[in-house]
């Protein structure tokens, strides 16, 4: 006879996550026969909980990719010393491959090196993304900030520079 596993699923309360987290855990129960306990935590305590030992089990998280680079994910989410590495992932192989990717001056060689880092993460699977979403933004030439190329590092118009060209 095996030991029944009943993971506690952590998520921040107040963000309307309880409904979809409940649906995910219902699917685990129906497909995998795994029952879960849900643990909503107030947002001001949530990230402290994830950064410290004790949050054993699945947890809800989101990560906005602010620039189109593997580095926007790999460093913050998976480096052993990152405060955002809530999965507490640590791998010498990953750390070495990431350092090698960062050291590549040639864009093609760097892309290939980051692909190898991604292969390590896919093999180790420190997190399991449930979904991805994408946002598109377009600006008219009539917006001064866009017409003059006054965009921040994320490609958004610098609000203090907004105005009309006509």
């Amino acid at each position: 006879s095996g030991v029944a596993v009943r993971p506690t699923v952590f998520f921040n309360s107040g963000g309307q996550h309880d409904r979809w987290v409940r649906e995910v855990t219902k699917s685990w129960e129906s497909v995998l026969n795994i029952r879960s306990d849900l643990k909503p935590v107030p947002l001001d305590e949530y990230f402290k909980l994830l950064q410290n030992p004790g949050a054993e089990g699945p947890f809800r998280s989101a990560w906005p990719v602010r620039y189109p680079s593997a580095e926007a994910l790999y460093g913050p989410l998976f480096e052993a010393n990152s405060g955002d590495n809530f999965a507490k992932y640590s791998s010498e192989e990953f750390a070495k491959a990431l350092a090698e990717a960062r050291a590549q001056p040639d864009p093609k060689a760097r892309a290939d090196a980051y692909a190898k880092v991604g292969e390590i993460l896919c093999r180790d699977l420190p997190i399991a993304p449930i979904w991805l979403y994408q946002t598109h933004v377009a600006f008219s030439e009539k917006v001064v900030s866009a017409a003059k190329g006054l965009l921040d590092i994320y490609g958004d118009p610098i609000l203090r520079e907004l105005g009309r060209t006509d």
Side-chain angles (χ1 to χ4, degrees), residues 55-114:
E56 300 292 328
F59 60 89
R60 187 216 72 85
S61 185
W63 190 260
V65 177
R66 298 301 220 161
Y67 50 92
S69 169
E71 189 60 41
L73 294 168
Y74 293 171
L77 294 181
F78 303 112
E79 276 190 296
N81 63 351
S82 171
D84 294 317
N85 180 357
F86 300 137
K88 298 168 184 67
Y89 176 69
S90 180
S91 162
E92 288 182 30
E93 180 186 13
F94 167 82
K96 182 180 178 202
L98 184 61
E100 289 172 5
R102 288 174 171 164
Q104 290 294 333
D106 177 70
K108 171 75 170 102
R110 187 170 47 254
D112 291 344
Y114 274 118

Side-chain angles (χ1 to χ4, degrees), residues 110-123:
R110 187 170 47 254
D112 291 344
Y114 274 118
K116 289 179 183 171
V117 175
E119 290 171 11
I120 295 167
L121 290 172
C122 286
R123 182 199 66 217

Side-chain angles (χ1 to χ4, degrees), residues 139-151 157-158 161-163:
F139 300 100
S140 162
E141 288 292 324
K142 292 182 179 181
V143 177
V144 171
S145 179
K148 292 183 178 179
L150 302 172
L151 306 176
I158 299 171
E161 301 294 339
L162 285 180

Side-chain angles (χ1 to χ4, degrees), residues 3-166:
V3 175
V5 174
R6 189 172 179 121
T8 299
V9 179
F10 297 89
F11 64 97
N12 59 293
S13 59
Q16 300 180 350
H17 302 296
D18 54 333
R19 184 174 168 192
W20 72 262
V21 171
R22 190 175 302 111
E23 290 301 317
V24 168
T25 58
K26 277 185 192 176
S27 71
W28 293 351
E29 186 173 351
S30 67
V31 175
L32 303 172
N33 198 28
I34 295 174
R35 292 185 140 194
S36 304
D37 295 317
L38 300 181
K39 175 78 173 166
V41 179
L43 186 60
D44 60 340
E45 299 172 27
Y46 188 64
F47 293 108
K48 291 177 197 169
L49 173 77
L50 294 181
Q51 288 172 336
N52 295 311
E56 300 292 328
F59 60 89
R60 187 216 72 85
S61 185
W63 190 260
V65 177
R66 298 301 220 161
Y67 50 92
S69 169
E71 189 60 41
L73 294 168
Y74 293 171
L77 294 181
F78 303 112
E79 276 190 296
N81 63 351
S82 171
D84 294 317
N85 180 357
F86 300 137
K88 298 168 184 67
Y89 176 69
S90 180
S91 162
E92 288 182 30
E93 180 186 13
F94 167 82
K96 182 180 178 202
L98 184 61
E100 289 172 5
R102 288 174 171 164
Q104 290 294 333
D106 177 70
K108 171 75 170 102
R110 187 170 47 254
D112 291 344
Y114 274 118
K116 289 179 183 171
V117 175
E119 290 171 11
I120 295 167
L121 290 172
C122 286
R123 182 199 66 217
D124 292 353
L125 201 61
I127 65 171
I130 295 177
W131 74 69
L132 302 173
Y133 68 92
Q134 193 171 5
T135 303
H136 298 277
V137 180
F139 300 100
S140 162
E141 288 292 324
K142 292 182 179 181
V143 177
V144 171
S145 179
K148 292 183 178 179
L150 302 172
L151 306 176
D152 65 17
I153 62 170
Y154 307 119
D156 296 326
I158 299 171
L159 296 178
R160 69 177 174 272
E161 301 294 339
L162 285 180
R164 293 183 57 90
T165 58
D166 56 17

